[in-house]
């Protein structure tokens, strides 16, 4: 038991919790280190449990603690907005579970009541045994920032909602979208992260992320123009080979839970984008499949083309978190003369190149079947 | 079993320091483990709970006491607990108090053993093979069917059909009997307190056949029997009723009183208008004697996992002449006689309704569960739970600002050993969460698969504590204390 504890300590120390494009991050890595101390200061200690009469009990509890340690070790703390980090620190400073619950209730009590006009189905969080409503709107003073309001008839759920509202309000949508749900484990509350129809906390967070992204997309053009000016330095680096960055991102997302927008985009505050793509992205959520079809048709003049959204098959794994509109995994089947004379790798590379912008915008993976007309017979 | 009892040091007064809140453990020493269980007549099931419960440390001295003995005889809960290994655990730092038996029950070692023995010794496909193992498996499987038939006193063993659970059994009746016999305008009468599994299949089949669903509403939180009589007409083809409600806890008393849901009367009235009756006995078969011939029901369903059996098994009881007239539900192997390219001929019941390889181990496990329950005796279980139920109800009623759903127990009104309740201004989910996190008490919160009922009661959700014969009075005390602590937490923290 001791050896596995020490090995997980080693893992904590040695694993580089890096974001996809390290070279662009020198400015941020400086505050990565102090923020990572949050994980070390977690109340979960590396002591063996005291003996207890019940046989199976302590064994399971110890396993649970180890699992918790491993789980919290993989949380990318830099993805958590500062206000939420403060809240986490506050909870960690309260070691006793009962006191934590009191703290949670306290948050809930301070949450301003939601206007009854919003206590309707459109704002309801699905999958709560209690009733929970959440509302997102742009901060009137800072259009890039999202503000939330929420309410619930259950005191504990209201506490969780209040925590999310305080922690996430004021952050931009893209930051909110990338907050890993696992952060709740740092609070030390026994909160399940299993996606299920009854997981109120998870569903609350997801709905907030979804609503934030909706606001973002509505506001997309203005944001993009602003962002492009401030990010012109970064765009050169952004144009890397999407396939390689894809795999790197996959690798990292398997270890840590940074939601991979498949993205080579390094910026925390906004997503860099190209000017001409704004024409293609005008139609917001649901347009990805259409855009893929249009792009591929333009370039390949295929005899046959089939594009299928299979994101539902991947719902729940690391690559999909943070991408609220689901369109992350597609099957592409194309028969085109353009593939003639090209090896399989070259064909895939061709398609990935054509869909480069999508890959930067949240498309995670493609499953490609590329044939020439003669092969297809 | 004996080995686990050796854990407890003999009659040491400090034994209680090892076992938080469980003083009664020392009494277990004198009581032999289940397999040497004396005949039921020698164990007193009654508990003089009005007396204060003092720990007797000279436990070794007593044999099973007669009611007149001043020392307390061990309760059925204390006697049977050692048979359930899962109950001996610490949850969130507290001894587990499992009060969610209406959702599923725990399994005794004998059932767990039966399951592993099946796989270790004679696993083989049933009904098809000729070799030794398959003959043994087939015998055990069919023996389980006999056990179920005897348990509910079915006239004919062929009247028991093994299903995956009670829900599947109801769907079987709906898609087979229902689809064949229901015409546009036919009426199905249900109570508003039915479990979703008794409602949804009928909604689906009614839509297909043009039949209409009619609901019996509540009066004073029990189904309104007078309204029920009024709803019956020549159009009524089926009556669907629970035997015991998983929320309201109302049940048929041993002696008929007329104030709660009396199945035998319901069957009488329904048959007079030519309607069939399907009884959902999920909450009754595990807890009391259920005699399908005496009740004269047409269909009855129950789940194995609520009666100490494994999950994945349940059964449908149907009168043989009814079953013989019903078309198949699922098609496949086992339920056929001959298969040709464009048609097949079907087997007789029960095989007709058991397509494919069944849950063999699970059915055998259910048989083992029935053996276990029968060796205790369903009457004894029912009597013990009656007392436990009253104790739970009255203790809960003492909690301020609480509302318990269903009728209050009395001489004529008996409740099942469960209480669904709400406390003013505290959400039941908060209560259930805190009870679990801070006290290790497992209760359920939500609508308990009875949304129409909760709407009729005017609430979104309720908390529910449901007991079984291995629960004890001490656990009820722990639960009440924990509940009071929980309520205090939420009222002061607000």
């Amino acid at each position: 038991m001791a050896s596995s504890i020490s090995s997980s300590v080693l893992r904590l120390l040695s694993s580089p919790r890096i974001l996809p494009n390290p070279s662009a991050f020198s400015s941020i890595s400086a505050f990565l280190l102090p923020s990572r101390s949050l994980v070390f200061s977690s109340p979960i200690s590396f002591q063996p449990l005291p003996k207890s009469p019940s046989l199976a009990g302590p064994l399971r509890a110890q396993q649970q603690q180890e699992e918790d340690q491993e789980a919290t070790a993989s949380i990318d703390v830099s993805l958590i907005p500062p206000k939420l980090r403060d809240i986490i620190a506050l909870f960690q400073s309260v070691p006793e579970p009962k006191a934590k619950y009191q703290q949670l209730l306290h948050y809930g009590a301070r949450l301003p009541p939601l206007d009854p006009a919003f206590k309707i189905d459109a704002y309801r969080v699905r999958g709560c045994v209690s009733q929970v409503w959440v509302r997102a709107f742009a901060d009137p003073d800072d259009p890039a920032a999202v503000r939330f309001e929420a309410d619930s008839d259950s005191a504990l759920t209201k506490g969780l909602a209040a925590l999310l509202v305080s922690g996430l309000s004021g952050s931009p949508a893209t930051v909110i979208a990338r907050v890993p749900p696992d952060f709740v484990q740092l609070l030390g509350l026994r909160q399940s992260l299993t996606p299920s129809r009854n997981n109120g906390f998870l569903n609350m967070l997801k709905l907030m992320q979804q609503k934030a992204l909706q606001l973002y997309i509505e506001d997309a053009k203005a944001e993009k123009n602003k962002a492009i000016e401030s990010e012109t330095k970064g765009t050169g680096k952004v144009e890397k080979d999407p396939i390689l960055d894809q795999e790197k991102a996959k690798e990292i997302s398997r270890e840590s839970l940074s939601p991979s927008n498949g993205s080579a985009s390094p910026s925390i505050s906004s997503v860099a984008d190209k000017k001409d793509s704004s024409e293609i992205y005008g139609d917001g959520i649901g347009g990805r499949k259409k855009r893929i079809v249009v792009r591929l048709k333009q370039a390949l003049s295929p005899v046959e083309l089939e594009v299928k959204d299979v994101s539902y098959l991947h719902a729940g794994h690391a690559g999909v978190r943070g991408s609220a509109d689901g369109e992350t995994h597609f099957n592409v089947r194309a028969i085109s003369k353009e593939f003639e004379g090209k090896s399989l790798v070259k064909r895939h590379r061709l398609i990935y190149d054509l869909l480069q912008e999508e890959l930067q915008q949240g498309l995670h993976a493609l499953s490609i079947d590329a044939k020439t007309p003669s092969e297809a017979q | 079993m004996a080995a686990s009892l050796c854990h407890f040091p003999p009659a040491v007064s400090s034994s209680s320091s090892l076992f938080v809140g469980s003083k009664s453990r020392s009494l277990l020493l004198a009581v032999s483990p289940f397999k040497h269980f004396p005949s039921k007549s020698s164990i007193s099931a009654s508990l003089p709970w009005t007396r204060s419960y003092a720990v007797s440390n000279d436990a070794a001295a007593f044999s099973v006491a007669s009611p007149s003995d001043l020392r307390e005889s061990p309760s059925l809960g204390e006697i049977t607990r050692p048979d359930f290994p899962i109950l001996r655990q610490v949850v969130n730092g507290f001894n587990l108090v499992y009060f969610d038996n209406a959702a599923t029950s725990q399994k005794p070692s004998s059932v767990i053993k039966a399951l592993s023995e099946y796989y270790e010794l004679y696993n083989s496909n049933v009904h098809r093979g000729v070799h030794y193992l398959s003959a043994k498996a087939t015998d055990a499987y069919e023996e389980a069917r006999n056990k179920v038939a005897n348990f509910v006193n079915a006239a004919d063993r062929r009247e028991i059909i093994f299903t995956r659970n009670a829900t599947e059994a109801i769907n079987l009746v709906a898609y087979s009997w229902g689809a064949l016999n229901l015409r546009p305008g036919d009426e199905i009468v249900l109570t508003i307190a039915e479990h979703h599994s008794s409602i949804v299949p009928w909604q689906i089949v009614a839509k297909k056949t043009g039949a209409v669903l009619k609901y019996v509403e509540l009066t004073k939180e029990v189904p309104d029997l007078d309204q029920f009589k009024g709803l019956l007409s020549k159009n009524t083809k089926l009556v669907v009723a629970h035997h015991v409600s998983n929320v309201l806890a109302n049940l048929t008393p041993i002696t008929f009183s007329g104030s709660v849901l009396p199945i035998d009367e319901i069957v009488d009235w329904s048959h007079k208008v030519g309607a069939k009756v399907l009884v959902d006995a999920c909450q009754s078969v595990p807890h009391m004697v259920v005699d399908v011939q005496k009740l004269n029901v047409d269909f009855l369903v129950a789940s194995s996992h609520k009666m100490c059996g494994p999950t994945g098994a349940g059964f449908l009881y149907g009168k043989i002449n009814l079953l013989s007239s019903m078309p198949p539900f699922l098609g496949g192997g086992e339920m056929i006689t001959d298969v040709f390219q464009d048609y097949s001929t079907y087997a007789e019941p029960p095989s007709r309704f058991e397509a494919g390889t069944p849950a063999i181990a699970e059915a055998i496990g259910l048989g083992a569960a029935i053996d276990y329950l029968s060796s205790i005796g369903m009457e004894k279980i029912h009597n013990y739970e009656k007392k436990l139920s009253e104790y739970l109800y009255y203790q809960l009623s003492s909690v301020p600002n609480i509302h318990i759903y269903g009728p209050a127990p009395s001489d004529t009104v008996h409740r099942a050993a469960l209480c669904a309740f709400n406390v003013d201004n505290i959400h039941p989910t908060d209560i259930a969460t805190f009870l679990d996190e801070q006290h290790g008490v497992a209760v359920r919160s939500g609508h308990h698969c009875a949304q129409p009922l909760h709407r009729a009661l005017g609430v979104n959700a309720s908390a529910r504590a449901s007991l079984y014969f291995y629960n004890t009075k001490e656990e009820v005390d722990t639960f009440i204390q924990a509940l009071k602590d929980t309520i205090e937490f939420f009222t002061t923290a607000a």
Side-chain angles (χ1 to χ4, degrees), chain A residues 158-180:
Chain A
K158 192 170 176 185
L160 284 173
L163 210 143
L164 288 172
V165 164
S166 322
L168 298 179
S169 279
S171 294
T174 43
V175 170
I176 293 170
R178 292 197 212 188
V179 171

Side-chain angles (χ1 to χ4, degrees), chain B residues 17-188:
Chain B
S17 63
L18 284 176
F19 305 104
V20 181
S22 189
K23 299 183 213 152
S24 54
R25 295 272 185 192
S26 54
L27 290 169
L28 283 164
L29 295 169
V31 181
S32 32
F34 175 61
K35 49 184 183 226
H36 309 304
F37 204 82
S39 67
K40 56 182 180 176
S41 53
S42 65
I43 303 264
S44 161
S46 66
L47 261 175
W49 278 331
T50 46
R51 286 191 254 146
S52 63
Y53 197 82
V55 176
S56 155
N57 273 333
D58 42 348
F62 81 89
S63 52
V64 178
S66 59
S68 57
D69 197 311
L70 276 175
R71 275 189 294 261
E72 304 267 340
S73 45
S75 67
L76 187 60
E78 290 159 348
I79 294 169
T80 53
R81 272 184 100 76
D83 301 330
F84 295 85
I86 197 174
L87 295 175
R88 291 192 288 276
Q89 64 177 287
V90 170
V91 161
N92 298 334
F94 301 90
N95 281 345
L96 169 67
V97 173
Y98 184 76
F99 275 8
D100 194 17
N101 292 288
T104 196
S105 62
Q106 300 304 346
K107 327 298 169 197
S109 309
S110 58
V111 169
I112 301 170
K113 190 154 165 266
L115 286 168
S116 31
E117 266 183 10
Y118 167 75
Y119 284 115
E120 282 169 11
L121 300 177
Y122 58 99
N123 169 54
S124 201
N125 209 329
V126 295
H127 300 141
R128 295 183 189 126
V130 163
H131 55 84
Y132 172 74
L133 286 185
S134 78
K136 201 154 173 218
T138 305
D139 284 345
Y141 181 75
E142 290 302 328
E143 182 56 31
R145 192 191 307 276
N146 291 341
K147 287 177 186 172
V148 175
N150 290 334
F151 196 65
V152 297
N153 196 27
D156 187 330
R157 60 183 305 280
R158 296 172 299 154
E159 293 178 323
I160 302 296
I161 296 168
F162 281 124
T163 58
R164 200 180 71 200
N165 48 30
T167 302
E168 188 178 86
I170 298 175
N171 275 278
L172 200 165
V173 178
Y175 281 95
S176 169
W177 179 89
L180 182 70
N181 291 287
L182 294 173
R183 303 265 135 66
D186 282 347
E187 290 172 6
I188 303 170

Side-chain angles (χ1 to χ4, degrees), chain B residues 37 116 144 228 308 363 395 450:
Chain B
F37 204 82
S116 31
F228 168 71
C308 292
Q395 290 289 60

Side-chain angles (χ1 to χ4, degrees), chain A residues 52-55 57 60 97-98 101-102 105-106 109 129-131 153-157 190, chain B residues 7 18-19 88-90 92 427 429-430 433-434 437-438 445-446 460-461 485 489-490 493:
Chain A
S52 143
S54 173
L55 297 169
R60 271 184 229 141
K98 193 166 177 175
Y101 278 109
Q102 268 162 347
L105 290 187
H106 189 52
V129 185
S130 48
Q131 298 183 83
D153 55 358
S154 147
L156 291 175
T157 316
R190 218 173 309 266
Chain B
H7 238 99
L18 284 176
F19 305 104
R88 291 192 288 276
Q89 64 177 287
V90 170
N92 298 334
H427 197 280
T429 308
D430 289 337
T433 307
F434 198 82
E437 293 276 341
Q438 293 293 309
S445 88
N460 279 323
D485 182 48
F489 178 79
F490 284 103

